[in-house]
């Protein structure tokens, strides 16, 4: 069960504080069967940026999900690679940075490279709103994640290409940013961080609000992954769900102004037309409805399923 992972406590204060200001490396054995030359890697990573030449660029260094914000550590630890990537992008685009208004440290670090905008973390959910904060003209604006800029810099410098993951949870020695390569598995990370199998009850890939469960620790971590949670009973006090108590918390928290519990009910009753009528397809999968639900109902997960089969 993904909903209500931390029993509606303030997760930022409870778990999501990075213990280390360094990046921890855990690498799987390299599979050289598909090894690319440095030039090929450079070209493959540069191509998406080249395609957007002439557009305005907004470089994002934050997430609305509290467990995915290892950006500050990564920017400090990979400064050379960041500067090299920015050098390339600035030759193609006008650049501005956008960070969470809650993160003053990274804001100061990025001021050396250009204009920095501080926004509400929830703005991460709305691309158009994010763009409008930076540019009055919304046309020809592209958003890049700063981690992709760092990867570009690594390619240009001929260095190993890294993926960066924030890891939390009481089943491992986590609360840190780790660096992995393309063959790293969830088990590799678990073992590298002194994981305790006897207390591990759940593994979540992605954000704490809308991540997906991992059932096979031997599976390879996807390149787009940004965070992993290795959870115990301490982190997930209860998996038991109850009937809706009509508290309306899910309505109040929905950034799209939808009625999540109504949509869940319509899906269960197989009323597809009504599901669409009540805006089911407008759900942006933020997971907030499940997180605030005191009854532990899997609202967000049900709506996500409903959108695929309506």
């Amino acid at each position: 069960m993904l909903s209500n992972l931390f029993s509606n406590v303030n997760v930022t204060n409870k778990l999501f504080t990075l213990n280390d200001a360094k990046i921890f490396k855990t690498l799987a054995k390299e599979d050289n069967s598909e090894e690319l030359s440095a030039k090929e890697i450079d070209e493959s990573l540069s191509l998406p940026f080249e395609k957007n030449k002439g557009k305005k660029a907004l470089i994002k260094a934050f997430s609305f999900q509290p467990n995915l914000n290892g950006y500050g550590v990564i920017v400090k630890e990979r400064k050379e690679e960041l500067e090299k990537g920015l050098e390339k992008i600035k030759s193609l685009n006008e650049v501005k940075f956008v960070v969470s208004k809650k993160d003053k440290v990274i804001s100061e670090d990025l001021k050396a490279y250009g204009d920095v905008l501080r926004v509400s973390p929830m703005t991460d959910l709305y691309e158009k709103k994010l763009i409008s904060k930076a540019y009055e003209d919304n046309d020809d604006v592209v958003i890049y994640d700063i981690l992709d800029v760092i990867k570009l810099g690594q390619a240009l410098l001929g260095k190993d290409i890294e993926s960066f993951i924030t890891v939390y949870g009481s089943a491992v020695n986590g609360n840190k940013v780790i660096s992995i390569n393309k063959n790293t598995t969830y088990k590799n990370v678990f073992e590298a961080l002194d994981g305790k199998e006897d207390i591990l009850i759940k593994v979540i890939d992605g954000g704490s609000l809308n991540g997906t469960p991992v059932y096979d620790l031997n599976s390879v971590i996807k390149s787009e992954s940004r965070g992993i949670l290795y959870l115990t009973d301490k982190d997930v006090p209860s998996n038991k769900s109850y009937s809706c108590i009509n508290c309306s918390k899910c309505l109040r928290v929905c950034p799209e102004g939808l009625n999540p519990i109504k949509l869940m009910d319509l899906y269960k009753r197989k009323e597809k037309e009504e599901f669409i009528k009540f805006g089911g397809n407008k759900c942006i999968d933020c997971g907030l409805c499940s997180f605030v639900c005191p009854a532990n109902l899997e609202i967000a997960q049900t709506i996500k399923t409903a959108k695929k089969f309506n």
Side-chain angles (χ1 to χ4, degrees):
M1 181 172 180
L2 299 179
S3 65
N4 216 353
L5 287 178
F6 301 97
S7 194
N8 295 331
V9 298
N10 186 326
V11 294
T12 302
N13 293 332
K14 176 172 174 133
L15 186 64
F16 303 134
T17 301
L18 290 170
N19 292 336
D20 297 314
K22 299 285 185 181
I23 294 174
F24 182 86
K25 272 205 172 190
T26 174
L27 303 177
K29 291 182 179 179
E30 285 287 2
D31 177 5
N32 296 322
S33 60
E34 298 181 6
E35 187 174 358
L36 299 176
S37 67
K39 182 179 179 181
E40 288 173 320
I41 293 173
D42 178 356
E43 290 177 348
S44 66
L45 284 172
S46 296
L47 186 59
F49 298 100
E50 294 282 359
K51 287 183 176 179
N52 290 317
K53 183 177 181 179
K55 294 184 178 181
K56 297 172 184 176
L58 195 57
I59 300 179
K60 183 172 73 74
F62 77 102
S63 171
F64 85 99
Q65 307 241 35
N67 68 309
L68 302 185
N69 282 300
Y71 290 98
V73 172
I74 299 167
V75 165
K76 283 184 181 294
E77 284 288 290
R78 297 295 183 265
K79 185 176 180 180
E80 180 186 14
E81 292 92 327
L82 173 61
E83 290 177 348
K84 190 65 176 179
L86 286 175
E87 181 184 309
K88 174 70 173 180
I89 293 174
K90 286 183 174 181
S91 71
L92 302 171
N93 312 101
E94 176 186 343
V95 169
K96 289 185 181 180
F97 299 91
V98 60
V99 303
S100 168
K101 64 182 180 181
K102 295 182 178 181
D103 192 341
K104 295 181 180 179
V105 175
I106 197 170
S107 177
E108 290 300 316
D109 289 340
L110 292 176
K111 280 183 179 179
Y113 306 114
D115 293 338
V116 179
L117 304 171
R118 298 173 62 198
V119 300
S120 165
M122 291 301 292
T123 313
D124 185 31
L125 296 170
Y126 302 97
E127 184 174 295
K128 289 184 178 180
K129 186 179 291 187
L130 197 57
I131 291 172
S132 67
K133 293 284 185 180
Y135 299 106
E136 292 183 5
D137 183 0
N138 289 350
D139 295 331
D140 291 327
V141 179
V142 61
I143 298 176
Y144 296 133
D145 192 293
I146 201 166
L147 301 186
D148 293 323
V149 178
I150 291 173
K151 286 185 179 182
L152 173 63
Q154 290 175 336
L156 294 171
L157 291 168
K159 294 187 176 184
D160 291 336
I161 307 301
E162 302 171 291
S163 290
F164 302 101
I165 307 283
T166 52
V167 180
Y168 296 92
S170 300
V172 294
N173 180 20
N175 292 38
K176 62 185 64 178
V177 178
I178 64 170
S179 164
I180 65 173
N181 63 15
K182 66 177 182 179
N183 301 304
T184 307
T185 66
Y186 296 97
K187 188 172 184 179
N188 290 147
V189 174
F190 185 67
E191 292 176 343
L193 298 181
D194 302 319
K196 303 174 183 64
E197 290 188 21
D198 58 325
I199 60 174
L200 178 68
I201 64 168
K202 184 182 299 184
V203 179
I204 302 294
D205 182 295
S208 56
L209 304 182
N210 63 2
T212 56
V214 176
Y215 299 108
D216 181 7
L217 290 185
N218 290 310
S219 57
V220 174
I221 301 170
K222 295 179 180 178
S223 60
E224 61 268 24
S225 293
R226 291 285 187 262
I228 308 173
L229 300 167
Y230 293 96
L231 307 174
T232 69
D233 283 322
K234 179 181 177 181
D235 306 315
V236 190
S238 174
N239 278 335
K240 187 175 181 180
S241 60
Y242 304 89
S243 297
C244 175
I245 60 173
N246 297 314
C247 66
S248 300
K249 285 187 176 181
C250 61
L251 281 75
R252 294 197 296 270
V253 79
C254 179
E256 287 294 305
L258 304 176
N259 186 336
I261 195 65
K262 174 72 172 180
L263 294 173
M264 180 178 179
D265 183 55
L266 290 172
Y267 171 69
K268 288 185 174 181
R269 298 206 310 256
K270 302 186 183 304
E271 296 185 18
K272 297 180 181 180
E273 292 185 3
E274 288 296 299
F275 178 86
I276 296 173
K277 179 180 176 181
F278 277 85
N281 287 340
K282 295 179 181 178
C283 171
I284 57 176
D285 300 326
C286 66
L288 290 170
C289 53
S290 287
F291 184 73
V292 301
C293 179
N296 269 6
L297 295 173
E298 293 185 331
I299 307 172
Q301 292 74 20
T302 302
I303 295 174
K304 192 172 185 177
T305 301
K307 291 195 297 178
K308 293 179 181 179
F309 293 98
N310 64 27

